[in-house]
Amino acid sequence: MNQEVHIEAYDAAWADQYAAEAMNICSALGNAELLLEHIGSTAVPGLSAKPVVDMMLGVEKLCQIDEWKGQLGAIGYEEIHHPDMPERRFFRKGPRGAGTHHLHIYVYQSEAWNHQWLFREELRRSLAKRKDYERLKQTLARLYSHDRKRYTAAKAPFIQRTIKQAQRCRLP
């Protein structure tokens, strides 16, 4: 995968971009009750990130999204199949390697949904964890500057460790 990994300093406009795109999605999907969250590094104030707004949409069943493919396509989203991730459906807005928005669809409150939410919350809560993650991302961006797949895979141990630690510390 020869897509450049480019990390930018935090930009407060990412929250506004999420809000505008969330409205766009809600409008396109009409009367559907949606549970939409801003996730990923652009959702964490102060954290450097690839300038791609990640969102997650919670559904009761993943097959629900089949009804919405046309509406999402009409506002620029293309479904990208990831057979190695059966717990999620994924849509990208923008060209491959230069997408502006990623829409991850999970069963609401599933383990995958909860992990995404928990990781974001832990980075928002802990300045030390946020700085550690930022340093890791910057190092990996230099090492794998033209290999997004390896960059992403190399972040996974940190993410999993952070989720496990946050799960142990959560109150019921």
Side-chain angles (χ1 to χ4, degrees):
M1 195 178 269
N2 294 327
Q3 301 163 8
E4 188 172 350
V5 177
H6 174 70
I7 305 292
E8 293 183 6
Y10 177 75
D11 186 344
W14 291 334
D16 296 332
Q17 291 169 15
Y18 161 74
E21 195 60 23
M23 291 295 292
N24 194 23
I25 291 168
C26 289
S27 179
L29 299 183
N31 293 330
E33 280 190 41
L34 301 177
L35 299 159
L36 199 56
E37 293 271 349
H38 186 189
I39 60 168
S41 295
T42 62
V44 180
L47 181 60
S48 297
K50 293 190 314 288
V52 177
V53 175
D54 283 282
M55 301 165 285
M56 72 174 172
L57 174 63
V59 294
E60 190 175 316
K61 295 178 181 177
L62 284 179
C63 63
Q64 284 177 264
I65 199 62
D66 293 331
E67 303 168 18
W68 299 334
K69 285 167 91 170
Q71 291 100 308
L72 289 171
I75 59 170
Y77 283 89
E78 173 187 9
E79 184 170 17
I80 309 298
H81 295 282
H82 288 282
D84 56 324
M85 299 179 126
E87 75 283 355
R88 129 189 131 154
R89 301 278 292 271
F90 177 75
F91 288 76
R92 178 191 66 235
K93 185 174 191 173
R96 184 168 194 238
T100 58
H101 298 79
H102 290 166
L103 179 61
H104 309 259
I105 302 162
Y106 298 101
V107 171
Y108 179 66
Q109 292 293 312
S110 66
E111 182 177 56
W113 169 281
N114 290 334
H115 284 179
Q116 287 284 347
W117 183 88
L118 195 57
F119 184 64
R120 180 199 65 195
E121 291 304 302
E122 187 62 16
L123 291 179
R124 285 178 172 176
R125 184 194 68 73
S126 171
L127 177 61
K129 194 68 74 175
R130 188 166 56 246
K131 290 199 174 294
D132 288 346
Y133 188 51
E134 185 169 66
R135 277 191 296 273
L136 174 65
K137 290 184 349 164
Q138 290 169 341
T139 298
L140 295 175
R142 284 189 299 275
L143 284 172
Y144 304 118
S145 63
H146 293 285
D147 192 339
R148 280 183 145 183
K149 200 171 201 172
R150 289 185 70 194
Y151 165 82
T152 300
K155 293 187 308 178
F158 179 92
I159 293 167
Q160 294 307 314
R161 197 169 46 254
T162 300
I163 291 167
K164 281 185 185 5
Q165 290 167 349
Q167 287 172 320
R168 284 194 302 267
C169 295
R170 275 185 87 189
L171 298 174

